[in-house]
Amino acid sequence: MEQLVTSPDNPAPARSRTPHQLLLSDEQQTPGTPRRNRRTRRTLAVTALFAAGALALSACGGNAEAGGHDDGKNGQAGADAAAAKDASDAKITVSSKDGSTDASINDTGVKVTGGKLTDVKLTVADTGATVAGAISSDGKSWKPGVQLERGTKYKIVANAKDAKGRSATENATFTTVSSANSFIGSYTPDNGKTVGVGMPVSFNFDKVITNKKDVQSHIKVTSSSGQQIVGHWFGAQRLDFRPEDYWKAGSKITMKIDLDGVKGGEGITGVQSKTVNFTIGRSQVSTVDMDTQMMTVKRDGKTIKSVPISGGSPENPTYNGQMVISEKFEQTRMDGSTVGFTKENGKGEYDIKDVPHAMRLSSSGTFIHGNYWGSPSIFGKAGTSHGCVGLQDNKGGGGDTPGKWFFNESLVGDVVIVKNSHDKTVQPDNGLNGWNLSWSAWQAGSAA
């Protein structure tokens, strides 16, 4: 076979001119088709293939600067950086962390720096109920208007703007500490009260406290009189505070309760945060002498009245000791069965539904009260009660009677001392009667 030599003057045959085997050669064209048309179609096909290759190159090619090989990450990073640079200067902080399950019921709030709050919305997650609250006058903080409920899920949305008007938002969902995992102390006296010189501060906790030292150290009781005040534990759920001697008349007492977040024991946390203020009134101490069946009432150290009484009978004597008036009732029911006096045990049953001018001296049922059912001759002469101290009175509490006078002249917290009874001294935790402990014994019961 003769070898062909190609040159500009001697081109290769048509079948060898193109490298693309998909194109048809002249010999493969349909017979009868003009050669010029065949050549034109071949030229167009080659041009189309080169054009497609060029399009493919422009769509998938390029370099790193053009973002062709980083999946757009560099471009997104630039956008994020630009957004961050233009972000608001306002920084919002919600005290209850998002997702927390032991949030405080007292300290939930919102603060902002670098701007001012525009609106805050706190809702109960399950019901959508809105919890009222208020933004401070300077726009820097927000607090709810009520204490939150224990064991409740809340949602909060806070919005703010900086000096340039740029907005910021913070969202949080949290659950307050549950009743099972928290403890609360009910206390007396309450805020704003005026009480007698014998009134202790008394806490009763709803859970057993094992971490007594921390709990006691987070309750501070101070007096304007400067008296030293010490706490004393009665068991694991009661904590009382008092000075060595009765409070000074007219002094102002401040009690700061800072138990929120304090561990009271395994698995229980305090939730209270409050300041309580109360006032000590004039000094009134009344002494009941069971030998004479008389009560001497002293006001600021001076006797203002001697009142005939009828104390406990020889079979049911009245406790001795220093007792503090803890409650006052214009009228109340006294049912002996509630304190062990029944027909069955032979102690003498009674159920008087309208006892006038009654004031509690012990939690076990000792009262000083009006007595309208006893003969006037018993007062100042004989003890006839089931352990209470009775004063002559009228049914319904009307009229000018010793019972009414003493009731009107007494404050919760006044002291009633009983002496010369044939009974034992009242226990210091039976009512608010810790004064029956010596100062050294009182101090020994402190955990601080």
Side-chain angles (χ1 to χ4, degrees), residues 325-344:
I325 296 173
S326 59
E327 292 181 288
K328 293 179 66 179
F329 304 95
E330 290 276 359
Q331 184 171 288
T332 191
R333 176 188 179 186
M334 290 189 176
D335 182 357
S337 66
T338 63
V339 289
F341 293 100
T342 64
K343 183 177 181 180
E344 288 73 21

Side-chain angles (χ1 to χ4, degrees), residues 93-170:
T93 302
V94 178
S95 61
S96 298
K97 301 302 181 184
D98 185 45
S100 62
T101 57
D102 59 352
S104 168
I105 65 173
N106 300 290
D107 287 345
T108 293
V110 178
K111 293 183 178 180
V112 66
T113 59
K116 293 185 177 181
L117 293 169
T118 55
D119 64 90
V120 178
K121 186 176 183 180
L122 177 65
T123 57
V124 178
D126 292 341
T127 65
T130 300
V131 179
I135 296 174
S136 62
S137 58
D138 62 3
K140 298 295 185 181
S141 63
W142 177 92
K143 287 185 177 182
V146 296
Q147 187 180 68
L148 303 187
E149 297 293 330
R150 288 192 285 179
T152 302
K153 188 175 183 179
Y154 292 91
K155 291 184 177 181
I156 193 167
V157 181
N159 293 292
K161 287 186 177 181
D162 65 9
K164 295 181 180 180
R166 294 174 298 189
S167 298
T169 300
E170 189 70 39

Side-chain angles (χ1 to χ4, degrees), residues 391-409:
L391 296 90
Q392 189 176 359
D393 213 329
N394 292 328
K395 187 176 177 64
D400 185 13
T401 65
K404 184 177 183 178
W405 176 87
F406 189 68
F407 183 89
N408 289 340
E409 294 296 324

Side-chain angles (χ1 to χ4, degrees), residues 32 38 60 91 128 150 175 192 233 241 267 302 381 402 415:
R38 292 193 203 107
C60 302
K91 306 298 181 186
R150 288 192 285 179
T175 302
W233 287 88
F241 294 84
K302 295 181 180 180
K381 301 295 183 181
V415 180

Side-chain angles (χ1 to χ4, degrees), residues 222-255:
T222 58
S223 173
S224 63
S225 68
Q227 290 172 278
Q228 180 190 9
I229 302 160
V230 175
H232 180 96
W233 287 88
F234 293 109
Q237 290 183 248
R238 178 174 167 183
L239 172 63
D240 286 13
F241 294 84
R242 71 165 175 89
E244 181 175 2
D245 300 311
Y246 300 144
W247 301 100
K248 300 296 183 184
S251 55
K252 306 293 184 181
I253 313 301
T254 299
M255 173 174 54

